[in-house]
Amino acid sequence: MTPDALNILTMAKLIQTAVAPVFLITGVAATLGVLSNRLARITDRARQLEKKVRTTSDDTLKNLLTKELRALWKRARCIHISFSLSVLSALLVCTVVMALFVSHLLSMNLNITIGISFVGAMLLLIFAMLSLLVEVFLATRSMRRGMIFTHIDLDD
C-alpha cells in the first residue's frame, strides 16, 4: 500500500473512533432538552405561585404557597446543577474528539489527555444524572405529601 492510502485508511479509522463520542454528545443534547423542559415547567409554576402570593390576603395560604415556592426553588437548583454538569460533560467530549484529530494530525501522543477528558466527561455526566434524580425525588416527594395545593385556583 502507498503512504497516501495508509494515511486515508488511518484517517478513516480515526473518524470511526471519533463517531462514538459524537453520539454521546447527541445523547447529552437530548438530556439538555429534557432538563430545559423541566426547568421551564418549574419556572411557570413558580410564576403562578408568586402571582398568587402577591394577590392573596390569607396568611395561611401565603405560608403554604411560600413553602411550595421553596420546594420549587430546590428543584430548580438541582436542574441547574444537572444542566451545567451536562454542558461541561459535552464540552469535555468535544475535547476528546478534537484531541483525537490533533493527536493524529500533529503526530502527538495525547492518550493521557484523551483518557482523562473522557473519564472526566463520564464523571460529570454521572453527577448530572444524580442531580436529575434528586430533582425527580423532590418532585415526587411533594406529590406524596397529598397534593396539598390542588385546592388552589391559579387561573386567576
Side-chain angles (χ1 to χ4, degrees), residues 4-48:
D4 286 340
L6 282 175
N7 255 351
I8 290 171
L9 289 174
T10 304
M11 186 58 79
K13 181 76 172 165
L14 182 63
I15 291 170
Q16 286 175 340
T17 304
V19 166
V22 170
F23 281 121
L24 179 59
I25 292 169
T26 304
V28 171
T31 302
L32 291 173
V34 169
L35 294 170
S36 292
N37 286 335
R38 290 187 75 84
L39 185 58
R41 301 235 357 176
I42 292 167
T43 302
D44 291 344
R45 177 75 174 144
R47 284 184 181 141
Q48 288 177 331

Side-chain angles (χ1 to χ4, degrees), residues 31 35 38 42 74-86 123-139:
T31 302
L35 294 170
R38 290 187 75 84
I42 292 167
K74 288 178 186 175
R75 289 179 57 200
R77 191 173 37 212
C78 288
I79 293 294
H80 175 78
I81 290 167
S82 184
F83 196 93
S84 299
L85 292 173
S86 295
L123 284 172
L124 288 169
L125 197 54
I126 287 167
F127 288 119
M129 293 298 127
L130 288 172
S131 183
L132 176 59
L133 187 62
V134 168
E135 189 273 332
V136 170
F137 285 151
L138 289 172

Side-chain angles (χ1 to χ4, degrees), residues 11 39 59 75 90 143 148 153:
M11 186 58 79
L39 185 58
D59 286 338
R75 289 179 57 200
M143 287 178 58
I148 58 175
D153 182 22

Side-chain angles (χ1 to χ4, degrees), residues 46-122:
R47 284 184 181 141
Q48 288 177 331
L49 292 176
E50 286 172 348
K51 180 181 175 186
K52 192 70 173 176
V53 166
R54 282 193 306 270
T55 59
T56 189
S57 59
D58 182 357
D59 286 338
T60 305
L61 181 58
K62 271 187 184 180
N63 288 338
L64 289 172
L65 294 172
T66 303
K67 186 176 180 180
E68 186 174 355
L69 278 167
R70 278 195 296 269
L72 289 173
W73 172 246
K74 288 178 186 175
R75 289 179 57 200
R77 191 173 37 212
C78 288
I79 293 294
H80 175 78
I81 290 167
S82 184
F83 196 93
S84 299
L85 292 173
S86 295
V87 168
L88 290 172
S89 175
L91 288 172
L92 275 178
V93 173
C94 291
T95 302
V96 167
V97 172
M98 186 181 70
L100 284 168
F101 283 97
V102 168
S103 175
H104 174 72
L105 293 174
L106 300 179
S107 299
M108 295 173 62
N109 184 357
L110 296 176
N111 292 342
I112 293 174
T113 302
I114 292 168
I116 289 172
S117 295
F118 191 76
V119 168
M122 291 299 94

